[in-house]
Amino acid sequence: MVNRTTRAFGCPNKYIQGPGEFNNIEKYTRQFGEKVCFLMDGFLFKELNHSLVEIYKETSSDFIAINFEGECCEAEISRINQLCKTYGATVFVGVGGGKTMDTAKLCSDRQGLPLIIMPTAVSTDAPVSEIAVLYTEDGVYIGSEKMKKGSEIVIVDSEIVISAPKRLFIAGIGDALATWFESQANKASDSANYVGTGYRSCLAGMAVSKMCYDILLSDAVSALRALDRGVVTESVENIIEANTLLSGLGFHNTGLSAAHGIHSGMTSLPSTHKYLHGEKVSFGIVFQMILENRPTEEVNKIMKFMVEVGLPVTLEQVGIEATEENISTLAKKTYENALIHHEPFRVTEGLVYAAIVTADELGKSYLK
């Protein structure tokens, strides 16, 4: 339970979303000086670096581009910061997926530089939050770190994110879908949110979380059809906003609970490392519904939706063989994570184990 009555709401300074916004990046970085440090995903580095050369060549601004090497860990942060300091950057820009953006947050925060975030996919809500997740060099979850302040600008180019693999778009739906479930748990347990040192949720945070949920259920199927044809429709823009802005504001201002708690537990099983954050959180939603004994009608509606959009609902779908050893390890690691204890009732390791087993069986029944 939060130990204060004060409520708070946090967010980036600006959020900008639309087709072709990457081409305007120099206009945005110029507000913070003329020496720009870009950190970019490796698989897009060559293409985006070439585009940046064209964008910046007729301007007074200059940039350095650093290739992200794949893991948000202390060694990578140190390497990037050394390059950035040597260059003398006035603004830091993170372009890529969740771990790239988290690394950009940590680098800019430790250097005291203004930060611009530009996701190349909408697979998580990381762009909007002031939280970064640290891992070991081998990809094992260590913990979260809060930034001193939010990003100056979050820029989402619709044309770029729809060209990313469809799997990433779907994973983002899974991550975003958890927002409303987890916000309700935190509200009921009066758990602190992630603003500063943690405050009570504002009504705005709960409203944003519910809006995120409603948009996903109304527009996700239509958006995925448009995605199959490589076009941007209003439903696609709505899901981009839900996956990124609404989900990010929702979780940052209301908190996380069981669905993300089991995700953290999954990182202890190497077989899950090839699966995306939102895919693992997706099974976490099934787990949380069982843990909380949600009404049958609600469970049925959500399970049908998840299967229809292609979200994982079983352990096997996130790389976990349902053996006694694996489930026991997962239950133990999940129970040891603080997030599971944001639920509004006492949670035991045995209860976590039972909910994992039952959630897996439930998921199997919807795949038949």
Side-chain angles (χ1 to χ4, degrees):
M1 179 180 290
V2 67
N3 61 1
R4 64 178 87 184
T5 58
T6 305
R7 59 183 72 182
F9 186 92
C11 59
N13 192 27
K14 293 178 184 176
Y15 176 88
I16 299 167
Q17 174 186 317
E21 283 299 330
F22 181 79
N23 298 324
N24 297 322
I25 187 63
E26 193 276 335
K27 177 179 71 175
Y28 298 126
T29 60
R30 196 191 320 144
Q31 302 172 47
F32 308 101
E34 297 183 341
K35 299 202 75 177
V36 190
C37 180
F38 282 90
L39 177 66
M40 298 189 292
D41 267 355
F43 71 98
L44 288 171
F45 183 84
K46 185 176 180 180
E47 177 185 346
L48 293 182
N49 189 47
H50 175 75
S51 297
L52 289 174
V53 170
E54 294 300 310
I55 291 168
Y56 278 82
K57 70 179 182 181
E58 300 295 334
T59 74
S60 60
S61 300
D62 186 35
F63 75 92
I64 181 177
I66 301 173
N67 189 347
F68 177 57
E69 294 187 351
E71 193 54 78
C72 184
C73 61
E74 290 293 350
E76 180 68 346
I77 293 165
S78 178
R79 179 186 74 87
I80 294 162
N81 276 349
Q82 186 58 53
L83 291 170
C84 191
K85 287 176 183 176
T86 301
Y87 173 68
T90 58
V91 58
F92 199 100
V93 184
V95 185
K99 289 190 177 184
T100 306
M101 291 181 287
D102 278 1
T103 306
K105 291 176 193 177
L106 289 161
C107 289
S108 64
D109 188 69
R110 294 180 187 185
Q111 293 182 73
L113 291 175
L115 175 65
I116 296 174
I117 287 289
M118 179 174 280
T120 52
V122 287
S123 56
T124 75
D125 47 25
V128 170
S129 82
E130 298 170 19
I131 307 292
V133 180
L134 271 169
Y135 297 84
T136 67
E137 292 182 47
D138 297 324
V140 178
Y141 173 83
I142 296 175
S144 299
E145 189 170 322
K146 295 181 182 179
M147 305 302 102
K148 299 180 188 72
K149 59 180 292 188
S151 305
E152 295 295 337
I153 313 176
V154 175
I155 305 166
V156 185
D157 188 319
S158 310
E159 293 175 342
I160 289 177
V161 299
I162 71 157
S163 66
K166 184 179 179 182
R167 179 185 175 190
L168 298 175
F169 195 90
I170 294 171
I173 293 172
D175 192 32
L177 184 62
T179 307
W180 176 234
F181 290 95
E182 294 185 302
S183 67
Q184 292 175 85
N186 280 287
K187 184 71 172 177
S189 62
D190 200 25
S191 296
N193 63 18
Y194 295 109
V195 180
T197 56
Y199 295 85
R200 297 186 72 201
S201 300
C202 287
L203 297 177
M206 296 300 293
V208 167
S209 298
K210 181 58 162 60
M211 180 181 288
C212 179
Y213 172 86
D214 290 341
I215 289 171
L216 292 173
L217 266 60
S218 65
D219 285 6
V221 173
S222 174
L224 289 172
R225 291 195 191 104
L227 205 67
D228 286 337
R229 298 301 300 270
V231 295
V232 178
T233 62
E234 194 68 6
S235 65
V236 170
E237 293 283 14
N238 288 348
I239 296 301
I240 290 172
E241 183 177 341
N243 283 10
T244 309
L245 179 63
L246 301 181
S247 179
L249 292 181
F251 105 76
H252 187 71
N253 289 287
T254 66
L256 302 173
S257 59
H260 275 78
I262 194 171
H263 164 272
S264 299
M266 286 180 185
T267 65
S268 65
L269 298 172
S271 61
T272 68
H273 291 182
K274 64 182 178 182
Y275 292 88
L276 300 170
H277 172 85
E279 292 171 334
K280 289 177 274 192
V281 169
S282 178
F283 177 77
I285 296 168
V286 185
F287 163 73
Q288 183 169 334
M289 289 194 297
I290 294 297
L291 188 70
E292 296 175 346
N293 195 28
R294 290 266 180 167
T296 302
E297 313 82 65
E298 181 184 22
V299 171
N300 186 52
K301 178 174 74 172
I302 297 304
M303 294 298 293
K304 286 182 175 178
F305 169 78
M306 293 172 74
V307 170
E308 184 174 12
V309 300
L311 290 168
V313 293
T314 67
L315 290 173
E316 183 181 10
Q317 289 178 304
V318 289
I320 301 173
E321 185 181 356
T323 64
E324 171 72 24
E325 180 182 3
N326 282 343
I327 296 174
S328 294
T329 298
L330 179 56
K332 182 177 187 297
K333 293 295 184 181
T334 302
Y335 176 73
E336 290 172 351
N337 186 279
L339 295 180
I340 194 70
H341 302 289
H342 288 191
E343 293 295 323
F345 48 84
R346 181 172 177 268
V347 176
T348 65
E349 187 175 333
L351 188 57
V352 172
Y353 179 96
I356 293 171
V357 171
T358 307
D360 189 44
E361 289 302 316
L362 175 69
K364 290 175 185 176
S365 72
Y366 279 87
L367 294 179
K368 291 178 180 177

